[in-house]
Amino acid sequence: MGEFFITLLVIIGFIALCSIKQINQYERGILFKMGKYSKVLNPGWHVVWPIFQSMKKIDIRTRAVDVPEQVAITSDNVSIKINAVIYYKVFDAGKALCEVENFHYAVGQLAQTTMRNVVGTVTLDQLLTDREKISAKICEIIDNATDPWGVKVENVELKDISLSMEMQRVMAKVAEAEREKNAVITKAKGEVEAAKNLAEAANMMGNTPGALHLRTLATINDLSSDQSNTVVFALPVEVLRALEGLGSNKKEK
């Protein structure tokens, strides 16, 4: 009898030790009693009796998952390849385990479908320029869909947008044409400004006595520094008379 009780105590002690389950700080335990959901267990040590009870652990840390590259067509009928990364975490471990079979797989599939649907509602230019807004829209749609699963989608980031070589060449031509247009517009604006300044200078010189003569003499002085060229000017009569007057004054002196 003594050996029987010792053996029984050893078995009970072994079962009690095996019944102690540890839940880490980043986990939550889902307790089932006779197959029915009971409660969520917080971090620490808990006793889970075999046969009658069972427990599943759920990691509640933020998870980063790459969304595989998807082929989508924008609203302006441009075929692109796009991928993304999604950040989500479990906020209700009971729902995450009981409401959906595999919430990791479900969130990934939902992200792929939502990304293709949202990309199909925008143009290529909007996708390239408003990437943050489109990412926020995808995140909002997925988050609303995963709330019943106890999953919180924190962020969605579009990573790469790939275009075919033909589309890249077309976009390069468009960009080149746009730069040429801007260059022509800038040059035309410069000519307009130059014409305005020249007209203003001509009016000022025309209304100022002797200004045109002084400008002509200054031009001749600039050209005289280079003696390799011969320049012939058709000077107005007033200038010639002014020069003759200057010559006669020098002779008298």
Side-chain angles (χ1 to χ4, degrees), residues 114-134:
T114 304
M115 187 169 63
R116 289 196 299 268
N117 293 338
V118 172
V119 169
T121 62
V122 298
T123 63
L124 178 60
D125 292 338
Q126 291 174 337
L127 183 61
L128 296 176
T129 57
D130 298 332
R131 182 177 298 188
E132 293 183 359
K133 293 181 180 179
I134 295 173

Side-chain angles (χ1 to χ4, degrees), residues 126-186:
Q126 291 174 337
L127 183 61
L128 296 176
T129 57
D130 298 332
R131 182 177 298 188
E132 293 183 359
K133 293 181 180 179
I134 295 173
S135 298
K137 184 177 180 180
I138 296 174
C139 180
E140 181 182 0
I141 295 174
I142 300 175
D143 185 42
N144 292 333
T146 56
D147 277 343
W149 303 344
V151 176
K152 171 65 177 178
V153 178
E154 298 178 335
N155 193 17
V156 175
E157 290 290 342
L158 299 179
K159 294 173 62 178
D160 297 323
I161 300 174
S162 303
L163 299 172
S164 62
M165 294 302 298
E166 292 79 6
M167 182 55 60
Q168 292 182 20
R169 286 193 290 268
V170 170
M171 293 182 66
K173 291 180 180 179
V174 172
E176 183 178 358
E178 186 69 20
R179 287 194 295 269
E180 290 179 355
K181 182 189 75 172
N182 293 335
V184 171
I185 293 175
T186 303

Side-chain angles (χ1 to χ4, degrees), residues 16-251:
L17 290 175
C18 292
S19 300
I20 298 176
K21 304 295 183 181
Q22 177 177 304
I23 301 175
N24 297 322
Q25 183 64 40
Y26 55 85
E27 295 175 328
R28 295 294 182 269
I30 311 302
L31 183 65
F32 293 91
K33 289 184 179 180
M34 301 178 67
K36 296 181 180 180
Y37 169 77
S38 177
K39 62 180 178 179
V40 177
L41 301 178
N42 293 321
W45 283 7
H46 299 272
V47 177
V48 180
W49 298 108
I51 301 176
F52 300 102
Q53 294 179 333
S54 63
M55 184 188 70
K56 292 285 186 178
K57 293 181 181 180
I58 299 294
D59 195 324
I60 62 171
R61 291 176 293 184
T62 298
R63 184 183 180 94
V65 177
D66 281 326
V67 180
E69 189 175 65
Q70 302 294 308
V71 178
I73 300 177
T74 61
S75 61
D76 51 350
N77 297 323
V78 178
S79 179
I80 63 171
K81 294 181 179 180
I82 184 171
N83 59 359
V85 59
I86 180 172
Y87 300 88
Y88 65 91
K89 65 185 298 184
V90 175
F91 70 87
D92 191 328
K95 290 182 178 180
L97 187 62
C98 298
E99 298 296 332
V100 61
E101 180 181 2
N102 186 338
F103 65 89
H104 295 302
Y105 177 78
V107 170
Q109 293 298 309
L110 179 61
Q112 296 178 31
T113 305
T114 304
M115 187 169 63
R116 289 196 299 268
N117 293 338
V118 172
V119 169
T121 62
V122 298
T123 63
L124 178 60
D125 292 338
Q126 291 174 337
L127 183 61
L128 296 176
T129 57
D130 298 332
R131 182 177 298 188
E132 293 183 359
K133 293 181 180 179
I134 295 173
S135 298
K137 184 177 180 180
I138 296 174
C139 180
E140 181 182 0
I141 295 174
I142 300 175
D143 185 42
N144 292 333
T146 56
D147 277 343
W149 303 344
V151 176
K152 171 65 177 178
V153 178
E154 298 178 335
N155 193 17
V156 175
E157 290 290 342
L158 299 179
K159 294 173 62 178
D160 297 323
I161 300 174
S162 303
L163 299 172
S164 62
M165 294 302 298
E166 292 79 6
M167 182 55 60
Q168 292 182 20
R169 286 193 290 268
V170 170
M171 293 182 66
K173 291 180 180 179
V174 172
E176 183 178 358
E178 186 69 20
R179 287 194 295 269
E180 290 179 355
K181 182 189 75 172
N182 293 335
V184 171
I185 293 175
T186 303
K187 183 178 179 180
K189 289 181 179 179
E191 291 178 354
V192 171
E193 293 293 331
K196 290 180 180 179
N197 292 333
L198 288 174
E200 185 178 352
N203 291 331
M204 185 178 297
M205 294 176 68
N207 296 328
T208 304
L212 182 59
H213 300 164
L214 293 175
R215 184 58 185 168
T216 303
L217 294 174
T219 303
I220 295 174
N221 182 54
D222 293 338
L223 293 175
S224 64
S225 61
D226 187 3
Q227 300 180 1
S228 62
N229 296 325
T230 300
V231 181
V232 179
F233 277 96
L235 298 176
V237 178
E238 292 81 0
V239 177
L240 293 176
R241 291 177 180 175
L243 292 175
E244 291 176 356
L246 291 173
S248 62
N249 291 334
K250 288 182 179 179
K251 290 180 179 180

